Amino acid sequence: MKYVICSENDLADMVQGYGFLPLLRNRIPGFSVEEHTPPEYWFAENADGPWEWKGPVIQRTGCAYGKFFSGRAGFISREWYCDFANYRRDGYDLDARYDDGLMRLQDKRVYDVLAGTSSLLSREWRRQAGIKNRGEFDAIVSRLQMQGYVITTGFEYAIDKNGNAYGWGLSRYSTPEVFFGADFIDHVYDRAPEASGERVVSRLCQICPNATMEQITRILRF
């Protein structure tokens, strides 16, 4: 099906239809929100576009959003996120990954702050984690998202005197266990990680039939 994104509804439909959808151009031609959206919808002064639709689409579809694709942001539908997380986690919950020496202590400490809450805005999380350097914090969050332990659940914006939202918006984060609940907790490790990886690769081959296996492998690498 050919998707053209001109509204929040269109974006939600494509996220659900594809299952995996990067926000911006990447190594696979045609595999992004950007390439399916007319240019006039990006950062227009008097109209919303994909940047503003991200949060509502997350809430509407219950999808995951985060830096999942070689460190680049995108959407993964609720239907497919269990397999993605299982593959990226390689069957490990976070404590087991740390115990086996596969995670940095700083990353675990930052994760533990978030895991003790229902959700946190980025600035709240960084402050509670005691990290002053924003770049360092962003790198940790990116690793946790790529590994399948953290997702973005929405965006909150400053409000001007007329009640209009403005600015880039602050990310709100949560763990998949909290956001998806029992459906995720009970089923994330149902399959062997290799089987989940094969399902994810097969799905990407379906929605990107002209992509090479090298392109698909590289976009899934972390």
Side-chain angles (χ1 to χ4, degrees), residues 14-197:
M14 190 170 181
V15 170
Q16 294 294 80
Y18 268 36
F20 298 90
L21 184 60
L23 182 66
L24 302 176
R25 293 176 188 269
N26 55 78
R27 296 179 181 275
I28 302 178
F31 185 43
S32 71
V33 174
E34 180 181 6
E35 291 162 282
H36 288 261
T37 306
E40 60 266 26
Y41 285 92
W42 285 94
F43 307 115
E45 290 187 6
N46 299 313
D48 287 346
W51 194 262
E52 292 80 18
W53 298 330
K54 299 193 309 288
V57 166
I58 294 168
Q59 296 304 314
R60 176 175 174 173
T61 66
C63 70
Y65 182 84
K67 291 186 176 178
F68 303 137
F69 304 101
S70 293
R72 296 189 176 192
F75 303 87
I76 300 177
S77 70
R78 189 184 190 99
E79 175 187 1
W80 281 100
Y81 188 76
C82 264
D83 276 309
F84 172 84
N86 185 35
Y87 167 63
R88 283 284 176 80
R89 292 181 179 190
D90 198 22
Y92 285 94
D93 65 23
L94 188 134
D95 287 336
R97 179 180 288 274
Y98 175 73
D99 290 343
D100 277 6
L102 301 173
M103 172 169 280
R104 307 176 194 192
L105 175 59
Q106 182 76 311
D107 291 12
K108 184 180 186 302
R109 287 175 173 169
V110 170
Y111 171 84
D112 286 344
V113 171
L114 180 65
T117 69
S118 59
S119 67
L120 286 171
L121 284 173
S122 55
R123 64 185 175 193
E124 298 170 339
W125 189 10
R126 181 160 63 93
R127 176 178 54 80
Q128 292 184 30
I131 298 179
K132 295 181 179 181
N133 186 303
R134 181 175 176 180
E136 178 185 359
F137 175 76
D138 289 346
I140 292 170
V141 173
S142 293
R143 285 195 294 270
L144 291 170
Q145 291 194 322
M146 288 287 287
Q147 291 167 347
Y149 297 112
V150 169
I151 59 176
T152 304
T153 62
F155 300 88
E156 298 186 17
Y157 295 85
I159 304 297
D160 66 20
K161 63 181 180 181
N162 297 316
N164 299 313
Y166 69 92
W168 291 99
L170 292 173
S171 299
R172 179 168 289 279
Y173 296 103
S174 186
T175 65
E177 283 80 0
V178 168
F179 186 70
F180 293 120
D183 284 348
F184 179 83
I185 295 168
D186 294 344
H187 300 293
V188 61
Y189 302 118
D190 276 357
R191 297 184 178 89
E194 296 80 6
S196 285

